[in-house]
Amino acid sequence: MSAPRFEFSVHATDGKARTGLIRMQRGEIRTPAFMPVGTAATVKAMKPETVRATGADILLGNTYHLMLRPGAERVAKLGGLHRFMNWDRPILTDSGGYQVMSLSDLRKITEDGVTFKSHLDGSRHLLTPERSMEIQRLLGSDIVMAFDECPRADAPREVIEKSMRMSMRWAARSRAGFDSGEEHASRAALFGIQQGALDEALRRESAEALREIGFDGYAIGGLAVGEGQEAMFATLDFAPDMLPPDRPRYLMGVGKPDDLVGAVERGVDMFDCVLPSRSGRNGQGFTWHGPVNLRNARHAEDPAPLDARCPCDACTKYSRAYLHHLIKSGEILGAMLLTEHNLTFYQQLMAFIRAAIADERYSSFAAEFRREYLGR
């Protein structure tokens, strides 16, 4: 039997937490899932086969960065993003909206879209819902994200309300643009993005608009933008419940390990974040007893592994002292080993989360994790 275009099934629940499976033509995605970020067609300091070996079922690619360099048309000419970067499993591409807002100078937002200057060379570009869909189609994305605007969570309510309603109009245009790409649309999926910052009424209005349009999955956008974990969790206490229960829920840009554990408790199925790879390049390793800064001098003569419970090469073959030496010396191998470790840790955490939900012991797992990881 051939694989479906997109199919999501929930296998077990424990409170709001749930574990299941997304089936697509390029493979299955176990949920809750963490997606390593391959911004520019690469997870920095990692080979694709090593990323897969950590347990990742899906990667994230970045529309904004890829449209600027090497260019979506060039990637398409070379056979699409999967062939270009040698990753044969599902890829989710973001819409480019967030990066336009956060990285670009002299941007101008209108109903049509966003005009901006490239952060690379100052060239001018117009990104609209239709162009975002076209770029993601040229890349050959498996999960396409609707084009939206992401204002700061602390912006005035009228600004957030206006932005959210425009994003919902852009969502309808994204749906039409995606559907117009017939061959690609027949094998890919489209996710809508809920906005509304921390406001429950605006989140509800956004969710209702998205449900009326209809998407394969639904993302929770506009969080992890400086509001803090307490405010994020308060929003997640209601936001996921507004989205269709038979579709995956994706919390964009999150996050720290304790963010993931708390968000799963509140019904989230998918995550992405640059934190494990960026932290690895900066000398920080995540462990079951909390993050470790390997630049710290106290590791200089420590023969112990970074994390005795981790199966990665950094932990099974090298000492904290050696990792400290690599990081302090600026050696590339340090970034490689710590990135591999952090991604392995994140995937191991997701595997433990899935098992705990299936065994209906998620509350005790989450409490034990917080005692170990946070010391409380």
Side-chain angles (χ1 to χ4, degrees):
M1 186 176 70
S2 62
R5 178 189 66 84
F6 186 88
E7 180 181 280
F8 175 60
S9 54
V10 176
H11 294 170
T13 59
D14 188 1
K16 289 186 179 181
R18 55 204 210 154
T19 183
L21 192 71
I22 296 170
R23 296 180 65 220
M24 300 192 75
Q25 292 182 13
R26 281 198 171 96
E28 297 179 340
I29 304 159
R30 298 162 293 178
T31 64
F34 179 81
M35 299 180 283
V37 177
T39 300
T42 176
V43 178
K44 289 181 173 61
M46 295 283 282
K47 293 191 293 185
E49 54 268 34
T50 313
V51 177
R52 175 60 177 156
T54 67
D57 293 334
I58 177 173
L59 294 184
L60 182 143
N62 188 274
T63 290
Y64 170 87
H65 289 282
L66 292 169
M67 72 176 278
L68 295 179
R69 185 174 56 193
E73 283 77 9
R74 179 175 293 170
V75 172
K77 186 177 179 180
L78 293 168
L81 187 55
H82 297 79
R83 181 179 297 176
F84 188 57
M85 66 179 294
N86 190 34
W87 175 264
D88 62 0
R89 297 189 56 79
I91 294 175
L92 179 148
T93 48
D94 60 16
S95 70
Y98 177 77
Q99 282 74 25
V100 166
M101 310 306 160
S102 62
L103 295 179
S104 302
D105 293 329
L106 302 175
R107 61 183 180 269
K108 181 181 179 183
I109 304 169
T110 67
E111 187 68 32
D112 189 32
V114 185
T115 304
F116 65 95
K117 272 191 172 184
S118 165
H119 73 290
L120 296 175
D121 60 10
S123 58
R124 296 184 68 83
H125 300 266
L126 172 64
L127 193 56
T128 66
E130 293 78 14
R131 176 59 177 158
S132 177
M133 296 304 101
E134 180 186 23
I135 292 167
Q136 294 180 78
R137 182 162 60 245
L138 287 165
L139 296 173
S141 172
D142 299 288
I143 298 179
V144 172
M145 299 305 299
F147 187 63
D148 68 333
E149 183 192 9
C150 180
R152 287 184 56 86
D154 59 359
R157 188 182 191 275
E158 58 270 22
V159 171
I160 293 168
E161 180 179 22
K162 181 180 178 182
S163 171
M164 179 274 289
R165 289 176 177 164
M166 183 174 68
S167 286
M168 295 308 97
R169 295 190 295 273
W170 284 359
R173 287 167 58 189
S174 295
R175 176 83 260 180
F178 175 86
D179 291 343
S180 70
E182 296 176 0
E183 189 277 328
H184 179 244
S186 71
R187 56 181 171 81
L190 178 66
F191 281 26
I193 305 175
Q194 181 199 49
Q195 290 290 353
L198 311 179
D199 190 291
E200 186 169 0
L202 294 182
R203 286 274 172 188
R204 186 173 304 282
E205 181 182 334
S206 177
E208 289 171 356
L210 293 173
R211 293 177 74 145
E212 186 172 338
I213 298 166
F215 292 91
D216 297 298
Y218 295 82
I220 301 163
L223 295 177
V225 288
E227 74 281 357
Q229 188 186 75
E230 184 178 348
M232 179 178 74
F233 281 171
T235 304
L236 292 177
D237 284 335
F238 57 77
D241 296 334
M242 299 171 175
L243 303 171
D246 61 341
R247 303 288 177 169
R249 302 158 177 162
Y250 163 30
L251 179 58
M252 304 181 76
V254 174
K256 301 189 304 294
D258 47 307
D259 292 335
L260 306 188
V261 170
V264 168
E265 280 181 307
R266 293 162 171 81
V268 175
D269 306 299
M270 299 172 68
F271 304 90
D272 81 278
C273 191
V274 298
L275 191 62
S277 51
R278 179 178 290 167
S279 295
R281 298 194 305 279
N282 291 320
Q284 184 181 63
F286 292 96
T287 79
W288 294 99
H289 296 284
V292 172
N293 181 2
L294 284 153
R295 293 183 178 277
N296 195 305
R298 67 189 178 91
H299 303 297
E301 296 183 2
D302 189 345
L306 175 56
D307 191 328
R309 292 165 59 180
C310 179
C312 81
D313 282 353
C315 293
T316 58
K317 297 179 180 178
Y318 304 100
S319 65
R320 289 189 178 203
Y322 183 62
L323 296 173
H324 168 82
H325 160 69
L326 292 175
I327 295 299
K328 292 293 284 185
S329 302
E331 289 290 343
I332 294 170
L333 181 59
M336 293 169 63
L337 288 172
L338 279 179
T339 301
E340 180 182 350
H341 164 75
N342 285 345
L343 290 177
T344 300
F345 175 84
Y346 267 63
Q347 295 301 340
Q348 192 177 44
L349 173 61
M350 302 317 289
F352 288 168
I353 285 173
R354 292 190 293 264
I357 297 169
D359 295 341
E360 296 185 349
R361 52 179 178 82
Y362 191 69
S363 292
S364 60
F365 167 82
E368 182 181 355
F369 173 83
R370 291 188 186 98
R371 276 195 301 273
E372 278 196 72
Y373 186 81
L374 300 173
R376 65 171 187 253

